[in-house]
Amino acid sequence: MPESEVLIIGGGIAGASTALYLARRGRDVALVERGEIASEASGVNAGQIGAIGWGDMPDLSAYLTMGSLRLFEELQLDLGYDIEFRQSGSLTAIHTLEQYGYIRDHVHSMRARGFDLALLTPREARAIEPEINPNLPGYMHTPLRAQADPVKATRAFAAAARSSGARIFANHEVGGVAPLADGGYSVATGRGEFRCGALVVAAGAWSARIGEMLGLRIPIVPVRGQMWATPSLPPMVFQTISSAESSHDWSMDDGGDARTPPELTHRGDARVTRHLYGRQRRNGEIIFGGDRQLVGFDKSVDHTGIEVNRGHASEVIPLLNGIPAARTWAGLMPFTLDGQPLIGRVPTRDNLYIVGGLASSGFGRGPMAGKLLADYIHTGHMPHMLFESDPDGRVTDL
Ligand SMILES: Cc1cc2nc3c(=O)[nH]c(=O)nc-3n(C[C@H](O)[C@H](O)[C@H](O)COP(=O)(O)OP(=O)(O)OC[C@H]3O[C@@H](n4cnc5c(N)ncnc54)[C@H](O)[C@@H]3O)c2cc1C
């Protein structure tokens, strides 16, 4: 029966990073994962790393994005893992004059708060991204944004954790969790029991199911995201690409309520906006996605949504017009109902922690989320920025 000081449930980027930074602190840590490392959202995402700077008064969002950027850089540049990391920058396409006004105000207010972003004319944007549409009103440029391969990066965090002494158990599905009299936990997997002094729930979209095993309501729901890829093409898209349409629409109505997370593309079956993100991978595939839909744990691809997304992407990069989708896929993102991540200690249980609810940007924010939680567990003191993600009062008894 494996025993450890800390046991992490979930081998996505949040769990793998928590394991790495606990092991680096010399803690005895084990991680159990139902499938392979990076077999869920952390392996199927678009690989975009969002970052716009620390700003004048860094908040949790700044720590998660800028901190994670540094941790990705360390993997690629210092530790020698090839995770296809590039600080490529990013362009956000503006399709209408209403969107232009919204983005112009956003850029002005964010620059005034010390963030690094700019409004470009189509001509200026084409100088750095030649294939984008010259006939749109403008583009927002965020030079700090980056990209990496999701599977390689997540597995590199797990490999670095292993090199630092963490024990990683793939193909171990957790089926039950029971508290022990000494404040620790017994965790039942299909391949035997694990015991630990402290437990970390890092089970992504499945976190609520682990919560139920502990008599807890964890307010994380699965939201389906889906993507498509062109055949391999010569290099022609250099930055990450997105569109202002969804953020403009969500700024007027984010659609969230007691049972629905904010900022989805659909309400039930009905589309409320179009969302877009994409980039060209090192293997030449141009990949795009965007839809965010509540469909339970269904990971099948909705091809109507893929066609809408292909049309949207072609408006921004006209050469995509007529290039077929060579493959499509979907994954489940862990959205919280209030839109804030859950990173911290669950105060109603002994030695129980959670790192999750990283929603649609958990690849880019997961490394620092795991590091901040590891620092908390190791020192016993909550890093001040984690007040914004505190489970206290949000994770409740069933
Ligand atoms: C299509 C798509 C595109 C995206 N694009 C981006 C992007 O470009 N940039 C970005 O920043 N984010 C993006 N995201 C979001 C990002 O992928 C997620 O926020 C992030 O990967 C969440 O990481 P996680 O470790 O919390 O969850 P996951 O990666 O889902 O990991 C949780 C792990 O827990 C395991 N698990 C669950 N239950 C059990 C159990 N009972 N026993 C053992 N193990 C269990 C699962 O198998 C899984 O591996 C995208 C997501 C999708 C689906």
Side-chain angles (χ1 to χ4, degrees), residues 347 390-396:
D390 194 350
D392 193 6
R394 296 166 70 211
V395 173
T396 52

Side-chain angles (χ1 to χ4, degrees), residues 346-393:
V346 178
T348 54
R349 298 289 185 279
D350 288 336
N351 304 310
L352 180 66
Y353 299 84
I354 181 165
V355 53
L358 295 166
S360 61
S361 51
F363 178 64
R365 299 190 295 168
M368 192 62 175
K371 183 173 188 312
L372 288 172
L373 185 71
D375 290 348
Y376 186 0
I377 294 171
H378 179 67
T379 63
H381 297 292
M382 186 202 290
H384 66 89
M385 71 296 285
L386 290 188
F387 278 106
E388 288 181 60
S389 62
D390 194 350
D392 193 6

Side-chain angles (χ1 to χ4, degrees), residues 238-263:
F238 303 102
Q239 315 194 42
T240 65
I241 305 291
S242 62
S243 157
E245 183 166 317
S246 49
S247 54
H248 170 258
D249 293 348
W250 290 327
S251 72
M252 292 180 292
D253 176 6
D254 71 14
D257 61 32
R259 287 183 306 169
T260 316
E263 302 193 343

